[in-house]
């Protein structure tokens, strides 16, 4: 017997029942077993959830709606997870939901309970056997709010502009034709509607297989691939609320069809355009040429590769990030007539080889890094002592986790500085942003003061191919000194980084004299042919 009657009780009432210690332990074990086992009926597609699981999800979502937020603790079951997701999106009774790739209807039954008789659930499948099974379940359960849809691998075949949310669980990695399928999902959502994907693995791609092979077999996709494809097809990234899911291994990502976007097919949160001519001059060598430049570049910023390569004596190399690629042989198109080899990172390793590199350009790409520690370590190993790393990227308005920075395509400069410092780099310069949404940082190996002026790539001159005033105005931010035509060097302090050089007197023939007030320095230039040469310098106090 688990219970014993207490011998004492109030008059007219039977004695109370008490539980002995051994009975408490046995009851606790039974309770844990029941909690562990009971949600299983709702946890796998192909095993229809019972009414108890659906009611459990409905009660959980009702509580969350009343509190106005998702509980701090993770949901305990798949059914509760679905309730938490709808609650996070502000959805519930009366909402219109699509369960795309519904299997045999396990999640559909839960959604039906969550939206109630006033809502609608579209249960979509591309296999007729599953469609028949779902229809049978709808009839047995009397779910008039469920509509069963036979879709295609390239189109969910759902009514346009009608859905509050489209949900996929362990389905996206099966999509053999993701681009047209994403456009179909975009069109069926209401403007402002959401697209929720639950899948695995987190991070970058591991199973590099043809998309056509994915439809009928489990080859796990990466969240980086899903985010890239969804953004490029017109979805805005919203959140990765893994706290809404009862299991720790899967990831959850939420996208939205933006209200102002008229058609799918482009990233609704694109980078601002770059003024290419002015932006390119921020990266050109101050003297001489680059020997072996390395590029990690994406988007419009790839156009900067061409002018940089025109100022390089050696052949360039492109590092293609696995955080970006969806196939091992995928490469971004090269601009103009540019042609040079490329290498795909493998868990961050670019396999640079023994030949040293003297300049690395992260052009609108640094934010993507999931394997940054390894990549930056390998770059540090391969970078020449006087080499530099330039980072051009989009600035985040607030601190973001590394994962969220990747998905939002923006990052804080402070995050870049911290990660580069941890990899051994020193911040050398902070440049003028070439566009309002960008920042520009330049790093090097160790103390710049230990580099001899004649070897320092940030000592300018003696010849320049622009007007001296314009050249100084554009480059003072990264100048550590100047070289004269007769081989003398003048050092510039950090005060000159914000300098506004001033013409001392009106231009006289081929000669120019400029003051740098912050340095109390006067510079004398003389034009020969198409170039100006620094012929002399003096203290402006003289």
């Amino acid at each position: 017997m688990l219970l014993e009657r207490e011998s004492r009780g109030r008059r007219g009432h039977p004695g109370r029942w008490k539980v002995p210690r051994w009975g408490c332990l046995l009851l606790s074990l039974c309770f844990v077993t029941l909690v562990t086992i009971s949600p299983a009926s709702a946890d796998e597609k192909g095993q229809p959830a019972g009414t108890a699981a659906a009611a459990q999800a409905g009660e959980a979502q009702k509580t969350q709606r009343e509190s106005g937020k998702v509980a701090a603790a993770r949901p305990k079951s798949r059914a509760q997870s679905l309730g938490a997701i709808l609650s996070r999106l502000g959805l519930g009774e009366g909402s219109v939901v699509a369960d795309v790739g519904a299997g045999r209807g396990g999640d559909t039954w839960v959604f039906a309970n969550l939206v109630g008789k006033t809502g609608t659930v579209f249960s979509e499948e591309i296999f007729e056997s599953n469609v028949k099974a779902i229809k049978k379940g709808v009839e047995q359960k009397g779910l008039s709010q469920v509509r069963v849809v036979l879709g295609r691998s390239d189109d969910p075949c759902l009514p346009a502009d009608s859905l509050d949310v489209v949900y996929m669980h362990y389905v996206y990695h099966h999509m053999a034709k993701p681009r047209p399928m994403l456009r179909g999902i975009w069109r069926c959502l209401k403007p402002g509607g959401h697209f929720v994907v639950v899948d695995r693995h987190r991070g970058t791609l591991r199973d590099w297989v043809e998309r056509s092979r994915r439809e009928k077999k489990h080859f796990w996709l990466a969240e980086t691939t899903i985010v890239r494809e969804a953004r490029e097809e017109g979805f805005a990234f919203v959140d990765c609320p893994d706290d809404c899911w009862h299991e720790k291994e899967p990831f959850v990502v939420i996208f939205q069809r933006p209200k102002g976007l008229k058609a799918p097919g482009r990233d609704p949160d694109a980078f601002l355009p770059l003024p290419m001519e002015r932006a390119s001059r921020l990266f050109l060598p101050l003297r001489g040429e680059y020997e072996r430049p390395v590029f990690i570049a994406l988007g419009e910023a790839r156009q900067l590769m061409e002018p940089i390569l025109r100022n390089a004596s050696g052949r360039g190399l492109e590092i293609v990030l696995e955080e970006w690629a969806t196939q091992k042989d995928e490469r971004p198109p090269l601009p103009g007539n540019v042609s040079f080899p490329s290498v795909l990172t493998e868990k961050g390793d670019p396999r640079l080889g023994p030949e040293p590199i003297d300049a690395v350009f992260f052009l609108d790409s640094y934010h993507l890094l999931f394997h940054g520690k390894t990549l930056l370590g390998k770059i540090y190993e391969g970078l020449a002592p006087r080499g530099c790393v330039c980072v051009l990227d989009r600035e985040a308005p607030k601190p973001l986790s590394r994962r969220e920075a990747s998905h939002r395509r923006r990052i804080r400069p402070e995050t870049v500085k911290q990660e580069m410092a941890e990899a051994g780099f020193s911040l050398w310069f902070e440049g003028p942003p070439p566009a309002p949404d960008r920042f520009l940082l330049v790093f090097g190996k160790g103390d710049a003061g230990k580099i001899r002026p004649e070897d320092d790539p940030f000592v300018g001159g003696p010849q320049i191919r622009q007007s001296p005033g314009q050249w100084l105005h554009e480059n003072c931010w990264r100048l550590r000194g100047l070289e004269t035509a007769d081989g003398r060097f003048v050092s510039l302090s950090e005060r000159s980084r914000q300098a506004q050089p001033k013409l001392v007197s009106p231009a006289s023939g081929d000669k120019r004299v400029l003051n740098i007030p912050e340095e109390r320095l006067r510079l004398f230039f003389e034009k020969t042919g198409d170039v100006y040469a620094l012929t002399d310098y003096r203290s402006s106090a003289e």
Side-chain angles (χ1 to χ4, degrees), residues 20 104 186 458 515:
R104 301 177 76 83
W186 192 97
F458 295 99
N515 258 355

Side-chain angles (χ1 to χ4, degrees), residues 136 172 235 359 383 467 482:
K136 184 177 179 180
Y172 196 104
F235 288 95
L383 192 67
S467 158
L482 293 164

